[in-house]
């Protein structure tokens, strides 16, 4: 009773005088601990540290790309999570709902979150927060192997390349490219993706698939290839920044408007704004040796040739150990656009990007340290998960690999539209119902390479 009266007096004093300060609570009394049959005084055990939260994009409010039967008005919370984490097993997502770990709210304004059920209906603009553990994955002991092939790969290399194929239809191939594998070859480069694909991924076609867009050698993720000349032409048109005409049909136009790519990257530091759009034109310069080409931000002086470059970005979670996971969505396709925009426009170079972030990497100390959870202010503490080899290009290795991964791609169903166009303008009595039933939009999600999985698990293991 006496303690209750004292607390009421302290509260009333603060209300009368806002500058009055409440004395900090006394430190917890030491408790007796016994270890190895020896008793000693020690501090009481601390409670569980807060979970690092991963922010999903706001719910778009329209049918999910690639799911023809889904209505925007009846998308449940668990359907939205399964769609966004397409590579995560559904039971793993259901487990987070069962534990009450899936929440909804706005951290920027009120800071309040509420738990949601799997059956809750999503409204436009709803933002869901989940622990980063939802995207954790086990790391295979056998890390990515890059074929040391010539123009004639052997049976093992052909099998390896075919394991990279995520999707195949009469028009396109979609692969999950590993890091350090060049996309376009030259005279001294024989084991490039285009040469290997031409030799190993032709399947029953007379010619192998052709590249329609590129990824950097050090980058990983979804790589698209065309299998026929009509599909290659349509895909080149899709990835062109200047689309002079919209062929085929209105449905094709709508599918083209829904097309996008999303990348995940680990950057050093954290952008000032949690999300935004970068509009910074790029230009190319030659270094002092007269041979090395470098992409930089254009100065808009009008004296140099520049290209428009637009990138949409979003921070996925808090800064942990000096680094942040961000999501990048390029609106234009320029060489090294994402790397330059991260390093120069945002001031947060991508981990492992020694070309555009060399200065920061020289000063960066890859040392574990305590960071703070932004909503509660409680500290995290780095804990290395058991069984992980951090010397495989992860964030804590001496020389990290580039942490840039093309994770998601949405594009029109090229095979369907080409076939329907043939049937519509050919000598066909009616359209093939098999193609009519296929979705207008295809969506692909690629899992991260081993070194980024290790970094993800390291950066999400602050629950001690």
């Amino acid at each position: 009773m006496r303690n209750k009266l004292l607390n009421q007096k302290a509260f009333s004093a603060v209300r009368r005088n806002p500058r009055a300060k409440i004395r900090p609570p006394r430190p917890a009394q030491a408790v007796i601990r016994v270890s190895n049959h020896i008793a000693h005084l020690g501090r009481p055990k601390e409670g569980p540290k807060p979970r690092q939260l991963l922010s999903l994009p706001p719910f778009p409010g329209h049918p999910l790309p690639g799911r023809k039967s889904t209505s925007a008005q009846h998308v449940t919370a668990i359907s939205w999570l399964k769609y966004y984490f397409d590579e995560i097993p559904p039971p793993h997502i259901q487990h987070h709902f069962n534990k009450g770990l899936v929440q909804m709210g706005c951290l920027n304004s009120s800071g309040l979150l509420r738990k949601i059920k799997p059956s809750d209906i999503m409204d436009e603009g709803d933002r869901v927060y989940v622990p980063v553990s939802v995207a954790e994955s086990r790391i295979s002991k056998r890390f990515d192997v890059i074929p040391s092939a010539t123009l004639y790969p052997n049976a093992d290399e052909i099998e390896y390349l075919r394991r990279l194929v995520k999707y195949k239809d009469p028009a396109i191939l979609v692969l999950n490219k590993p890091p350090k594998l060049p996309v376009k070859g030259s005279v001294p480069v024989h084991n490039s993706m285009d040469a290997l694909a031409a030799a190993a991924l032709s399947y029953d076609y007379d010619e192998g698939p052709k590249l329609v867009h590129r990824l950097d050698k050090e980058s990983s993720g979804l790589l698209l290839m065309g299998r026929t000349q009509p599909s290659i032409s349509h895909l080149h048109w899709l990835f062109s920044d200047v689309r002079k005409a919209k062929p085929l049909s209105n449905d094709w136009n709508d599918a083209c408007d829904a097309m996008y790519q999303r990348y995940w990257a680990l950057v050093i530091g954290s952008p000032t704004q949690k999300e935004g759009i970068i509009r910074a034109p790029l230009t190319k310069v030659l270094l002092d040796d007269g041979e090395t080409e470098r992409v930089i931000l254009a100065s808009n002086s009008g004296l140099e040739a520049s290209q428009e470059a637009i990138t949409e970005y979003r921070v996925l979670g808090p800064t942990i150990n000096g680094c942040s996971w961000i999501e990048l969505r390029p609106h234009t396709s320029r060489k090294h656009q994402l790397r330059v925009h991260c390093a120069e426009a945002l001031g947060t170079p991508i981990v492992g990007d020694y070309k555009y972030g060399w200065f920061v990497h020289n000063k960066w100390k890859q040392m574990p340290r305590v960071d703070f959870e932004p909503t509660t202010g409680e500290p995290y503490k780095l804990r290395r998960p058991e069984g992980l080899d951090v010397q495989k290009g992860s964030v804590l290795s001496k020389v990290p690999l580039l942490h840039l991964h093309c994770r998601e791609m949405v594009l029109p169903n090229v095979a369907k539209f080409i076939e329907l166009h043939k049937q519509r303008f050919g000598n066909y009595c009616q359209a093939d119902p098999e193609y009519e039933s296929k979705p207008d939009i295809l969506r692909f999600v690629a899992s991260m390479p081993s070194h980024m999985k290790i970094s993800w698990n390291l950066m999400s293991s602050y629950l001690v």
Side-chain angles (χ1 to χ4, degrees), residues 32 43 54 57 59 71 97 116 126 131 138 140 151 162 204 324 368 377 389 417 434:
I32 299 177
R43 297 181 60 186
L54 176 68
F59 182 69
S71 173
F97 275 102
I116 58 175
D126 285 347
R138 297 182 178 179
S140 174
L151 292 177
R162 292 188 173 181
D204 53 347
S324 305
D389 186 356
F417 286 109
E434 179 183 356

Side-chain angles (χ1 to χ4, degrees), residues 14 136 187 225 253 288 315 322 335 355 379 395 398 415-416:
V14 173
E136 288 182 0
V187 175
M225 307 187 83
N253 298 344
D288 295 337
V315 180
K335 181 179 180 181
K355 186 169 187 175
V395 66
K398 295 181 180 178
K416 172 184 177 177

Side-chain angles (χ1 to χ4, degrees), residues 43 46-52 319-321 367-373 378-385 396 457-464:
R43 297 181 60 186
E46 297 180 359
K49 293 294 188 294
R51 295 181 178 270
Q52 181 188 351
T319 302
I320 301 296
N321 202 39
M367 297 296 293
R369 66 172 183 266
V370 173
D371 286 281
F372 296 89
E373 209 280 335
E378 298 185 27
Y380 290 109
K381 184 180 179 182
L382 179 61
R383 172 178 60 85
R384 294 189 180 187
L396 291 185
N457 288 354
L458 286 167
M459 305 297 283
S460 64
S461 61
Y462 284 75
L463 313 180
V464 295

